[in-house]
Amino acid sequence: MKMETLRQRADLLDKTRAFFKQRGFLEVETPLAAAEAIPEQHIQLSTIDDGRRVLQASPEMHHKRLLCAGAGSLFEVTKSFRGYEVGRLHNPEFTILEWYQVDKGLDDAIALTEALFQTLLKAPPFRRTTYREAFGPLGIDPHTAMVEELRELALSRSPSAVEPFESDDRDEWLNVLLALCVEPTLGVEAPEVLYDYPATQASLAKTVVDGEGAEVAQRFEVYWRGMELANGYEELTDAVALRRRLEIANTQRVAAGWPVVPMPERLLSEMVDPGLPPCAGVAIGFDRIVMLATGAQSIGEVRAFAESRRV
């Protein structure tokens, strides 16, 4: 990293902290490793201490425990870990900005994200696109299309990329089409919010029924200049429903040949008593924000010690 980039990064960190503190958010620090974690289907996790502790993929589990304890709206800039992800936009260890707003919903989370982007990046106003609208040019409704229809469409668009892929999971094929055909069209001229994902992709978000009768996730992602930058939810507060989703995620991990992740039992217990308040949460890859601010082409350019340069 160039020293000037390091200084720009430090300035962005200062502006980020000021942004949230001016709005009354509490800055917190949470563990990087713990005996439990939140299982997610597509995230590989690493362990330490002979497997007794899991390096956290985000501070979400601990943030929600603090919310249950009455901390109120909070934020953190910290390190997170995703096993073996290395590339232009990925590093196994990366910097994440995550925050939660108490008594706020999806629209509030999008509005705050937009204000942050305008503060840090002088970004233009967000453009909003539903998941259904984004798939419209492909001639399908992603909420109703069958697996075979999705498979045939993916094969017709990119046979070489898709032919080795086998799955009977609708969401897997939707993700293939999203990556191949939709994401390259998002956020070309301005940051673009993709929202109303299928309910089966809700992860830890609440679900609602949209105007056309489809159950959709209260989830959004922000794309700009070829990068996914933010992932936000109006959070699921029902501990029973959350446990069911996490058990499904672990089952999917096993089917993919990945290890089971220890369930976040303390969080699930605290979501029952005293309970998780209504809230919205957003996570942002801070390194990617620095890339946009400095014009860097890879995550390694904006980190003092990238994976390839580590001692």
Coordinates of all heavy atoms in Angstrom, one line a residue, residues 141-194:
D141 N -39.9 -14.5 -14.1 CA -40.2 -14.0 -12.7 C -39.4 -14.9 -11.8 O -39.7 -16.1 -11.6 CB -41.7 -14.1 -12.4 CG -42.0 -13.5 -11.1 OD1 -41.2 -13.4 -10.2 OD2 -43.2 -13.1 -10.9
P142 N -38.4 -14.3 -11.1 CA -37.5 -15.1 -10.2 C -38.3 -15.7 -9.0 O -37.8 -16.7 -8.4 CB -36.5 -14.2 -9.7 CG -37.1 -12.8 -9.8 CD -38.0 -12.9 -11.0
H143 N -39.5 -15.2 -8.7 CA -40.2 -15.8 -7.6 C -41.1 -17.0 -8.0 O -41.6 -17.7 -7.1 CB -41.1 -14.7 -7.0 CG -40.4 -13.5 -6.5 ND1 -39.6 -13.5 -5.4 CD2 -40.2 -12.2 -6.9 CE1 -39.0 -12.4 -5.1 NE2 -39.4 -11.5 -6.1
T144 N -41.3 -17.2 -9.3 CA -42.1 -18.3 -9.7 C -41.5 -19.3 -10.6 O -42.0 -20.4 -10.8 CB -43.4 -17.8 -10.3 OG1 -43.1 -17.0 -11.5 CG2 -44.2 -16.9 -9.4
A145 N -40.4 -18.9 -11.3 CA -39.7 -19.7 -12.3 C -39.3 -21.1 -11.7 O -38.8 -21.1 -10.6 CB -38.5 -19.0 -12.9
M146 N -39.4 -22.1 -12.5 CA -39.1 -23.5 -12.0 C -37.6 -23.7 -12.3 O -36.9 -23.0 -13.0 CB -39.9 -24.5 -12.7 CG -41.4 -24.3 -12.6 SD -41.9 -24.4 -10.9 CE -41.7 -26.1 -10.5
V147 N -37.0 -24.7 -11.6 CA -35.6 -25.0 -11.6 C -35.2 -25.3 -13.1 O -34.1 -24.7 -13.5 CB -35.3 -26.2 -10.8 CG1 -33.8 -26.7 -11.1 CG2 -35.4 -25.9 -9.3
E148 N -35.9 -26.1 -13.8 CA -35.5 -26.4 -15.2 C -35.5 -25.2 -16.1 O -34.6 -25.0 -16.9 CB -36.5 -27.4 -15.8 CG -36.0 -28.0 -17.1 CD -34.6 -28.6 -17.0 OE1 -34.3 -29.3 -16.0 OE2 -33.8 -28.5 -18.0
E149 N -36.4 -24.3 -15.9 CA -36.5 -23.0 -16.6 C -35.2 -22.2 -16.3 O -34.6 -21.6 -17.2 CB -37.7 -22.2 -16.3 CG -37.9 -20.9 -17.1 CD -39.2 -20.2 -16.7 OE1 -39.9 -20.7 -15.8 OE2 -39.4 -19.1 -17.3
L150 N -34.8 -22.1 -15.1 CA -33.7 -21.4 -14.7 C -32.4 -22.0 -15.2 O -31.5 -21.3 -15.7 CB -33.6 -21.3 -13.2 CG -34.7 -20.5 -12.5 CD1 -34.6 -20.7 -10.9 CD2 -34.8 -19.1 -12.9
R151 N -32.3 -23.3 -15.2 CA -31.2 -24.1 -15.7 C -31.0 -23.8 -17.2 O -29.9 -23.5 -17.7 CB -31.3 -25.6 -15.4 CG -30.1 -26.4 -15.9 CD -30.3 -27.9 -15.8 NE -30.3 -28.3 -14.4 CZ -31.4 -28.8 -13.7 NH1 -32.6 -28.9 -14.3 NH2 -31.3 -29.2 -12.5
E152 N -32.1 -24.0 -17.9 CA -32.0 -23.8 -19.4 C -31.6 -22.3 -19.7 O -30.8 -22.1 -20.7 CB -33.3 -24.1 -20.0 CG -33.7 -25.6 -20.0 CD -35.0 -25.9 -20.6 OE1 -35.7 -25.0 -21.0 OE2 -35.4 -27.1 -20.6
L153 N -32.1 -21.4 -19.0 CA -31.8 -20.0 -19.3 C -30.3 -19.8 -19.0 O -29.6 -19.1 -19.8 CB -32.6 -19.1 -18.4 CG -32.3 -17.6 -18.5 CD1 -32.5 -17.1 -20.0 CD2 -33.2 -16.8 -17.6
A154 N -29.8 -20.3 -17.9 CA -28.3 -20.2 -17.6 C -27.5 -20.8 -18.6 O -26.4 -20.2 -19.1 CB -28.0 -20.7 -16.2
L155 N -27.8 -22.0 -19.1 CA -27.1 -22.7 -20.1 C -27.1 -21.9 -21.4 O -26.1 -21.8 -22.1 CB -27.7 -24.1 -20.3 CG -27.3 -25.1 -19.3 CD1 -28.1 -26.4 -19.5 CD2 -25.8 -25.5 -19.4
S156 N -28.2 -21.3 -21.7 CA -28.3 -20.5 -23.0 C -27.4 -19.3 -22.9 O -26.9 -18.8 -24.0 CB -29.7 -20.1 -23.3 OG -30.2 -19.2 -22.4
R157 N -27.2 -18.7 -21.7 CA -26.5 -17.5 -21.6 C -25.0 -17.7 -21.5 O -24.2 -16.9 -22.0 CB -26.9 -16.7 -20.3 CG -28.3 -16.1 -20.4 CD -28.4 -15.1 -21.6 NE -29.8 -14.6 -21.7 CZ -30.1 -13.3 -21.5 NH1 -29.1 -12.4 -21.2 NH2 -31.3 -12.9 -21.7
S158 N -24.6 -18.8 -20.9 CA -23.1 -19.1 -20.7 C -22.9 -20.6 -20.5 O -22.6 -21.0 -19.4 CB -22.6 -18.3 -19.5 OG -21.2 -18.5 -19.4
P159 N -22.9 -21.3 -21.6 CA -22.8 -22.8 -21.5 C -21.5 -23.2 -20.8 O -21.5 -24.1 -20.0 CB -22.8 -23.2 -23.0 CG -23.5 -22.2 -23.7 CD -23.2 -20.9 -23.0
S160 N -20.4 -22.6 -21.2 CA -19.1 -23.0 -20.6 C -19.0 -22.8 -19.1 O -18.3 -23.6 -18.4 CB -17.9 -22.2 -21.3 OG -18.1 -20.8 -21.1
A161 N -19.6 -21.7 -18.6 CA -19.6 -21.5 -17.2 C -20.5 -22.3 -16.4 O -20.3 -22.6 -15.2 CB -19.9 -20.0 -16.9
V162 N -21.6 -22.8 -17.0 CA -22.7 -23.5 -16.3 C -22.7 -25.0 -16.5 O -23.1 -25.7 -15.5 CB -24.1 -22.9 -16.8 CG1 -25.2 -23.7 -16.1 CG2 -24.1 -21.4 -16.5
E163 N -22.2 -25.5 -17.6 CA -22.3 -27.0 -17.8 C -21.8 -27.8 -16.7 O -22.3 -28.9 -16.4 CB -21.6 -27.3 -19.1 CG -22.5 -27.0 -20.3 CD -21.8 -27.2 -21.7 OE1 -20.6 -27.5 -21.6 OE2 -22.5 -27.2 -22.7
P164 N -20.6 -27.5 -16.0 CA -20.1 -28.3 -15.0 C -21.0 -28.3 -13.7 O -20.8 -29.1 -12.8 CB -18.7 -27.8 -14.7 CG -18.4 -26.9 -15.8 CD -19.7 -26.4 -16.3
F165 N -21.9 -27.3 -13.6 CA -22.7 -27.1 -12.4 C -23.9 -27.9 -12.4 O -24.7 -27.9 -13.3 CB -23.0 -25.6 -12.3 CG -23.8 -25.2 -11.1 CD1 -23.2 -25.2 -9.8 CD2 -25.1 -24.8 -11.2 CE1 -23.9 -24.9 -8.7 CE2 -25.8 -24.5 -10.0 CZ -25.2 -24.5 -8.8
E166 N -24.1 -28.6 -11.2 CA -25.3 -29.5 -11.1 C -26.0 -29.1 -9.8 O -25.4 -29.1 -8.7 CB -24.9 -31.0 -11.1 CG -24.4 -31.5 -12.4 CD -25.5 -31.5 -13.5 OE1 -26.7 -31.5 -13.1 OE2 -25.2 -31.5 -14.7
S167 N -27.3 -28.9 -9.9 CA -28.0 -28.6 -8.7 C -29.5 -28.6 -9.0 O -30.0 -28.3 -10.1 CB -27.7 -27.2 -8.1 OG -28.5 -26.9 -7.0
D168 N -30.3 -29.0 -8.0 CA -31.8 -29.0 -8.1 C -32.3 -27.9 -7.2 O -33.5 -27.9 -6.9 CB -32.4 -30.3 -7.7 CG -32.1 -31.4 -8.8 OD1 -32.0 -31.1 -10.0 OD2 -31.8 -32.6 -8.4
D169 N -31.5 -27.0 -6.7 CA -31.9 -26.0 -5.8 C -32.2 -24.7 -6.6 O -31.3 -24.2 -7.3 CB -30.7 -25.7 -4.8 CG -31.1 -24.7 -3.7 OD1 -31.9 -23.8 -4.0 OD2 -30.6 -24.9 -2.6
R170 N -33.4 -24.2 -6.5 CA -33.8 -23.0 -7.2 C -32.9 -21.8 -6.9 O -32.5 -21.0 -7.8 CB -35.2 -22.5 -6.9 CG -36.3 -23.3 -7.5 CD -37.7 -22.7 -7.2 NE -37.9 -21.5 -8.1 CZ -37.8 -20.2 -7.6 NH1 -37.5 -20.0 -6.4 NH2 -38.0 -19.2 -8.4
D171 N -32.6 -21.6 -5.7 CA -31.7 -20.5 -5.3 C -30.3 -20.6 -5.8 O -29.7 -19.5 -6.1 CB -31.7 -20.4 -3.7 CG -33.0 -19.9 -3.2 OD1 -33.6 -18.9 -3.7 OD2 -33.5 -20.5 -2.2
E172 N -29.8 -21.8 -6.0 CA -28.5 -21.9 -6.6 C -28.5 -21.4 -8.0 O -27.6 -20.7 -8.5 CB -28.0 -23.3 -6.5 CG -27.7 -23.9 -5.1 CD -26.5 -23.3 -4.5 OE1 -25.8 -22.5 -5.2 OE2 -26.2 -23.5 -3.3
W173 N -29.6 -21.7 -8.8 CA -29.6 -21.3 -10.2 C -30.0 -19.8 -10.2 O -29.5 -19.1 -11.1 CB -30.7 -22.1 -10.9 CG -30.2 -23.5 -11.2 CD1 -30.5 -24.7 -10.6 CD2 -29.2 -23.8 -12.2 NE1 -29.8 -25.7 -11.2 CE2 -29.0 -25.2 -12.1 CE3 -28.4 -23.1 -13.1 CZ2 -28.1 -25.9 -12.9 CZ3 -27.5 -23.7 -13.9 CH2 -27.3 -25.1 -13.8
L174 N -30.7 -19.3 -9.3 CA -31.0 -17.9 -9.3 C -29.6 -17.1 -9.0 O -29.4 -16.1 -9.6 CB -32.0 -17.5 -8.2 CG -33.5 -17.8 -8.5 CD1 -34.3 -17.6 -7.3 CD2 -33.9 -16.9 -9.7
N175 N -28.8 -17.7 -8.1 CA -27.5 -17.0 -7.9 C -26.6 -17.1 -9.1 O -25.9 -16.1 -9.3 CB -26.9 -17.8 -6.7 CG -27.5 -17.4 -5.4 OD1 -28.2 -16.4 -5.2 ND2 -27.4 -18.3 -4.4
V176 N -26.7 -18.2 -9.8 CA -25.9 -18.3 -11.1 C -26.3 -17.2 -12.0 O -25.5 -16.4 -12.6 CB -26.0 -19.7 -11.7 CG1 -25.5 -19.7 -13.1 CG2 -25.3 -20.7 -10.9
L177 N -27.6 -17.0 -12.2 CA -28.1 -16.0 -13.2 C -27.8 -14.6 -12.6 O -27.5 -13.7 -13.4 CB -29.6 -16.2 -13.4 CG -30.0 -17.5 -14.2 CD1 -31.5 -17.7 -14.2 CD2 -29.6 -17.2 -15.7
L178 N -27.9 -14.4 -11.4 CA -27.6 -13.1 -10.8 C -26.2 -12.7 -11.1 O -25.9 -11.6 -11.5 CB -27.9 -13.2 -9.3 CG -27.6 -11.9 -8.5 CD1 -28.8 -10.9 -8.8 CD2 -27.6 -12.1 -7.0
A179 N -25.3 -13.7 -10.9 CA -23.9 -13.4 -11.1 C -23.5 -13.2 -12.6 O -22.8 -12.3 -12.9 CB -23.0 -14.5 -10.5
L180 N -24.1 -14.0 -13.4 CA -23.8 -14.0 -14.9 C -24.5 -12.8 -15.6 O -23.9 -12.2 -16.4 CB -24.2 -15.3 -15.5 CG -23.4 -16.5 -15.2 CD1 -24.0 -17.7 -15.9 CD2 -21.9 -16.3 -15.7
C181 N -25.7 -12.6 -15.3 CA -26.5 -11.7 -16.1 C -27.1 -10.4 -15.5 O -27.3 -9.5 -16.2 CB -27.8 -12.5 -16.6 SG -27.4 -14.0 -17.5
V182 N -27.2 -10.5 -14.1 CA -27.8 -9.3 -13.5 C -26.8 -8.4 -12.8 O -26.8 -7.2 -13.1 CB -28.8 -9.8 -12.4 CG1 -29.4 -8.6 -11.7 CG2 -30.0 -10.6 -13.1
E183 N -25.9 -8.9 -12.0 CA -25.0 -8.1 -11.3 C -24.1 -7.2 -12.2 O -23.9 -6.0 -11.9 CB -24.0 -8.9 -10.4 CG -24.8 -9.5 -9.2 CD -23.8 -10.3 -8.3 OE1 -22.8 -10.7 -8.8 OE2 -24.2 -10.4 -7.1
P184 N -23.7 -7.6 -13.4 CA -22.9 -6.7 -14.3 C -23.7 -5.5 -14.7 O -23.1 -4.5 -15.2 CB -22.6 -7.6 -15.5 CG -22.6 -9.0 -14.9 CD -23.7 -9.0 -14.0
T185 N -25.1 -5.5 -14.6 CA -25.9 -4.4 -15.1 C -26.2 -3.4 -13.9 O -26.8 -2.4 -14.2 CB -27.2 -4.9 -15.7 OG1 -28.1 -5.4 -14.6 CG2 -27.0 -6.0 -16.7
L186 N -25.9 -3.8 -12.7 CA -26.3 -3.0 -11.5 C -25.2 -1.9 -11.2 O -24.0 -2.2 -11.2 CB -26.5 -3.9 -10.3 CG -27.6 -5.0 -10.5 CD1 -27.6 -5.9 -9.3 CD2 -29.0 -4.4 -10.7
G187 N -25.7 -0.8 -10.8 CA -24.8 0.2 -10.2 C -23.8 0.8 -11.2 O -22.7 1.1 -10.8
V188 N -24.1 0.9 -12.4 CA -23.2 1.3 -13.5 C -23.0 2.8 -13.3 O -21.8 3.3 -13.3 CB -23.7 1.0 -14.9 CG1 -22.7 1.6 -15.9 CG2 -23.8 -0.5 -15.0
E189 N -24.0 3.6 -13.2 CA -23.9 5.1 -13.1 C -24.0 5.6 -11.7 O -23.5 6.7 -11.4 CB -24.9 5.7 -14.0 CG -24.8 5.4 -15.5 CD -25.8 6.0 -16.4 OE1 -26.7 6.7 -15.8 OE2 -25.7 5.9 -17.6
A190 N -24.7 4.9 -10.8 CA -24.9 5.3 -9.5 C -25.1 4.1 -8.6 O -25.4 3.0 -9.1 CB -26.2 6.2 -9.4
P191 N -24.9 4.2 -7.3 CA -25.2 3.1 -6.4 C -26.6 2.6 -6.6 O -27.6 3.4 -6.7 CB -25.0 3.6 -5.0 CG -24.1 4.8 -5.2 CD -24.5 5.4 -6.5
E192 N -26.8 1.3 -6.7 CA -28.1 0.7 -7.0 C -28.4 -0.3 -5.9 O -27.7 -1.2 -5.5 CB -28.1 0.0 -8.3 CG -29.5 -0.5 -8.8 CD -29.6 -0.7 -10.3 OE1 -28.5 -0.5 -11.0 OE2 -30.6 -1.1 -10.8
V193 N -29.6 -0.1 -5.3 CA -30.1 -1.0 -4.2 C -31.0 -2.1 -4.9 O -32.0 -1.8 -5.6 CB -31.0 -0.2 -3.2 CG1 -31.6 -1.1 -2.2 CG2 -30.1 0.9 -2.6
L194 N -30.6 -3.3 -4.6 CA -31.4 -4.5 -5.0 C -32.1 -5.0 -3.8 O -31.5 -5.3 -2.8 CB -30.5 -5.6 -5.6 CG -31.2 -6.8 -6.3 CD1 -31.9 -6.4 -7.5 CD2 -30.1 -7.9 -6.6

